[in-house]
Amino acid sequence: MKIQMEDGLPIVSVSLGYKGRILSLDNVLLDTGCSTTIFDTDEVEKVDLIIDRNNGRPRRMYGVGGESELCYEQTVNGLEIDNFHLDSFQIQ
């Protein structure tokens, strides 16, 4: 994974695989201070990674300044990021 600095932020490109489909994501912020992994639902829907309302739950994310945004948190099995296979991986 090659890290590029853009406007002082570490940016990467990653390949995301799910259920045998692969998606290339460019301009991904590598946030080493974040406690979770966050994906844009519109992007990951392309590999059938969709919100599972039966097994997930709505959560609030808090960022700098204390403002919150509503997101959905769920655990997925069989997720691959670059060459790393992840089982029972929690995403928002």
Side-chain angles (χ1 to χ4, degrees), residues 17-19 77-89:
Y18 187 66
K19 293 186 177 180
N77 293 311
L79 184 68
E80 293 181 26
I81 300 177
D82 285 342
N83 294 323
F84 299 98
H85 182 81
L86 307 164
D87 284 319
S88 298
F89 190 70

Side-chain angles (χ1 to χ4, degrees), residues 15-83:
S15 293
L16 183 127
Y18 187 66
K19 293 186 177 180
R21 299 181 73 190
I22 296 179
L23 174 67
S24 294
L25 298 171
D26 296 318
N27 300 315
V28 176
L29 174 64
L30 180 62
D31 188 349
T32 59
C34 190
S35 62
T36 61
T37 299
I38 302 166
F39 290 111
D40 182 326
T41 54
D42 292 332
E43 289 297 317
V44 298
E45 190 176 73
K46 297 172 187 173
V47 292
D48 295 330
L49 181 50
I50 58 173
I51 293 174
D52 182 351
R53 298 194 191 284
N54 292 326
N55 296 312
R57 62 183 176 184
R59 299 280 299 214
R60 288 230 169 250
M61 294 186 308
Y62 294 88
V64 175
E67 293 194 29
S68 70
E69 288 188 41
L70 188 60
C71 70
Y72 208 78
E73 181 177 86
Q74 68 190 55
T75 300
V76 294
N77 293 311
L79 184 68
E80 293 181 26
I81 300 177
D82 285 342
N83 294 323

